[in-house]
Amino acid sequence: MAVRVDHAVTSGTFSLDGETHQVDNNLWVVGDDEECLVIDAPHSVEDILAVVGDRRVKAIVCTHAHDDHVRVAPALREAVRAPILLHPDDRPLWKLTHTDELWDADLSDGQVIEIGDTALTVLHTPGHAPGAVCLWAPDLGCVFTGDTLFQGGPGATGRSFSDRPTIEASIKAKLFALPGDTVVHTGHGEDTTIAAEAAALG
Ligand SMILES: [Zn+2]
């Protein structure tokens, strides 16, 4: 059964360092007709469930722990009885949003997450956040980059727990090593490709 990528946009807020901004987040669901992975849990359980449909959610995979990516992760976990996966280096960010609850299992670089007849490979790409990860789906020709790489360049590094040289090193080592025609599904905004961003960043 073919694995596909489903997408929606959901809106809410992002808060860090005492500032709050309105944001639109991409919502990505990867799976077949039976089971799926939810990538990030922004803003609205209802919006996520609308994309999931009647499929079994195998896991909620968080690209990083900024509140606009994990705010409804525990509520979604309750709704679908699936584990939350997060890289442990994002513990300090997670604790800013969820003081009483934790995620269920740690992500690690190189980990393979199977879904349907395919698999995603976890790429640890610190910089935007210390525990930021990208999820590479070689069979699907795409990578889910969260806020590490956008159309137009690297994710923001101006706030706490971020670092510009670190994100550039992550992108060059882990993302620009992928095939150039790999489609980049981002945490916010439009898709891009590895080749287009590699050409822009140099
Ligand atoms: Zn972020």
Side-chain angles (χ1 to χ4, degrees):
M1 198 182 304
V3 170
R4 65 182 189 272
V5 176
D6 292 300
H7 171 242
V9 176
T10 182
S11 300
T13 60
F14 165 56
S15 300
L16 190 63
D17 297 340
E19 289 178 33
T20 296
H21 302 275
Q22 200 67 34
V23 282
D24 292 338
N25 282 63
N26 289 323
L27 174 56
W28 301 104
V29 175
V30 183
D32 56 22
D33 289 343
E34 302 290 328
E35 62 175 18
C36 61
L37 299 170
V38 173
I39 299 177
D40 288 337
H43 311 310
S44 162
V45 170
E46 195 178 25
D47 287 354
I48 296 166
L49 293 179
V51 180
V52 167
D54 59 4
R55 295 179 283 176
R56 184 174 71 85
V57 177
K58 194 173 179 188
I60 303 156
V61 188
C62 301
T63 61
H64 64 298
H66 281 152
D67 66 351
D68 58 323
H69 294 257
V70 300
R71 181 174 293 110
V72 303
L76 182 64
R77 171 172 60 190
E78 280 300 304
V80 300
R81 302 280 163 199
I84 300 167
L85 313 185
L86 177 71
H87 193 286
D89 289 357
D90 259 16
R91 170 181 283 270
L93 287 166
W94 173 276
K95 295 301 269 182
L96 292 176
T97 302
H98 299 299
T99 50
D100 298 333
E101 298 179 276
L102 283 176
W103 63 99
D104 300 287
D106 289 345
L107 293 171
S108 61
D109 188 55
Q111 180 181 348
V112 172
I113 303 172
E114 294 183 353
I115 187 68
D117 60 4
T118 190
L120 308 185
T121 299
V122 176
L123 309 173
H124 182 212
T125 52
H128 176 71
V133 300
C134 298
L135 302 161
W136 179 39
D139 296 344
L140 304 176
C142 66
V143 62
F144 301 88
T145 57
D147 292 0
T148 293
L149 183 64
F150 292 126
Q151 184 188 79
T157 49
R159 299 187 181 89
S160 300
F161 305 105
S162 287
D163 185 67
R164 177 78 188 193
T166 304
I167 199 173
E168 288 196 7
S170 291
I171 289 168
K172 286 174 179 167
K174 301 285 180 61
L175 295 180
F176 291 173
L178 303 180
D181 61 356
T182 303
V183 174
V184 176
H185 294 310
T186 63
H188 308 273
E190 299 300 311
D191 286 350
T192 182
T193 64
I194 291 296
E197 298 310 320
L201 196 61

